[in-house]
Amino acid sequence: MSMSGDSQEPRNEQSQAPLIEHLIELRSRLIKSVVVILVIFLGLYAFANDIYSFVAEPLMALLPEGSQMIATEVASPFLAPFKLTLVVAVFIAIPFVLHQAWAFVAPGLYDNEKALAIPILASSVVLFYAGAAFAYYIVFPLLFAFFTQTGPENVAVMTDINQYLNFVLKLFFAFGVAFEIPIATFLLILSGATTVESLSQKRPYIILGCFVVGMLLTPPDVISQSLLAIPMYLLYEVGLLFGRLVRKRKAKAEAEEQESQ
């Protein structure tokens, strides 16, 4: 009995050792990511007010001359730029954070999975940045022009800086995530969870779903909902296109392999 018990203890220790090593590595990579975010934040904090002014420019450019934002809370003039700078630091550090995540999971992947994962990660980062840029340069001017010009003439637009920040961060996130649709569509097709034909037949439901998501993630107006829903649908079609291309290449490779045999 004692011998069997002694033999089980080393086995348990051996099985726990890899888990502990993985947890230590995960903690190390999380700490590195947090440190990089903090370093970027500290470097940007001196420009916190400038960063906020840049983000507020799409609205301020449309307000009457001499207009300004207001702060309805005592700590808002400090907290709003602080919060925005922290978000920008995370935004800039996304490539490094994803690289740490990739370095953690890469040893457990096959070579073909590694070859596919790297372009997917890179394109995900680029698409998220593209979504945020689309929101800032295209959506914000149209949206704020609509909001500022449709109100009564005797109502002065004086937006609270904290409310404005929450509003634009929500839109940045919504458009950044929406621009990931081609990646999600491509992965669904590649994994075999669905097919190009099946997704093509569901276009009416996809269009409806895009407008429902636009309604939930944007302010309650038709313009902002459409500015999110229409790009979402177009990006969905881009995902289908890449799915077709990959399927054709895969079928061609399989046919060549069978001919060689």
Side-chain angles (χ1 to χ4, degrees), residues 58-127:
L59 176 62
M60 298 302 298
L62 296 168
L63 294 180
E65 187 177 354
S67 299
Q68 59 185 5
M69 290 188 175
I70 61 173
T72 58
E73 298 178 0
V74 175
S76 291
F78 166 76
L79 291 179
F82 181 92
K83 178 181 177 181
L84 176 59
T85 306
L86 183 60
V87 172
V88 171
V90 175
F91 190 75
I92 295 175
I94 284 178
F96 180 83
V97 174
L98 289 179
H99 177 266
Q100 292 299 308
W102 163 252
F104 178 73
V105 302
L109 299 178
Y110 296 107
D111 291 338
N112 60 335
E113 292 174 336
K114 292 180 181 179
L116 185 63
I118 292 176
I120 288 178
L121 284 175
S123 57
S124 297
V125 174
V126 172
L127 285 172

Side-chain angles (χ1 to χ4, degrees), residues 9-206:
E9 288 182 2
R11 291 179 182 177
N12 292 334
E13 292 178 358
Q14 291 176 359
S15 62
Q16 291 177 359
L19 177 61
I20 294 175
E21 291 176 0
H22 286 310
L23 291 176
I24 292 174
E25 183 183 1
L26 178 61
R27 184 187 66 176
S28 174
R29 297 196 179 280
L30 288 175
I31 291 174
K32 289 179 181 178
S33 299
V34 172
V35 169
V36 168
I37 292 172
L38 289 177
V39 169
I40 296 174
F41 170 76
L42 293 175
L44 293 176
Y45 185 70
F47 309 97
N49 292 334
D50 296 328
I51 295 172
Y52 191 95
S53 298
F54 175 78
V55 173
E57 179 60 26
L59 176 62
M60 298 302 298
L62 296 168
L63 294 180
E65 187 177 354
S67 299
Q68 59 185 5
M69 290 188 175
I70 61 173
T72 58
E73 298 178 0
V74 175
S76 291
F78 166 76
L79 291 179
F82 181 92
K83 178 181 177 181
L84 176 59
T85 306
L86 183 60
V87 172
V88 171
V90 175
F91 190 75
I92 295 175
I94 284 178
F96 180 83
V97 174
L98 289 179
H99 177 266
Q100 292 299 308
W102 163 252
F104 178 73
V105 302
L109 299 178
Y110 296 107
D111 291 338
N112 60 335
E113 292 174 336
K114 292 180 181 179
L116 185 63
I118 292 176
I120 288 178
L121 284 175
S123 57
S124 297
V125 174
V126 172
L127 285 172
F128 188 86
Y129 286 163
F134 180 82
Y136 182 83
Y137 290 105
I138 305 298
V139 177
F140 287 180
L142 295 174
L143 195 61
F144 296 146
F146 173 77
F147 287 156
T148 55
Q149 294 175 7
T150 56
E153 294 182 358
N154 58 347
V155 174
V157 180
M158 293 186 295
T159 305
D160 175 66
I161 60 172
N162 202 40
Q163 294 297 325
Y164 175 81
L165 177 60
N166 293 335
F167 178 84
V168 297
L169 288 181
K170 181 180 178 182
L171 288 182
F172 277 137
F173 179 78
F175 279 89
V177 172
F179 270 57
E180 300 293 330
I181 287 179
I183 302 297
T185 305
F186 175 77
L187 290 177
L188 287 173
I189 297 172
L190 185 66
S191 64
T194 187
T195 62
V196 175
E197 291 76 12
S198 176
L199 291 175
S200 300
Q201 293 173 358
K202 295 176 182 177
R203 276 193 178 93
Y205 303 102
I206 297 297

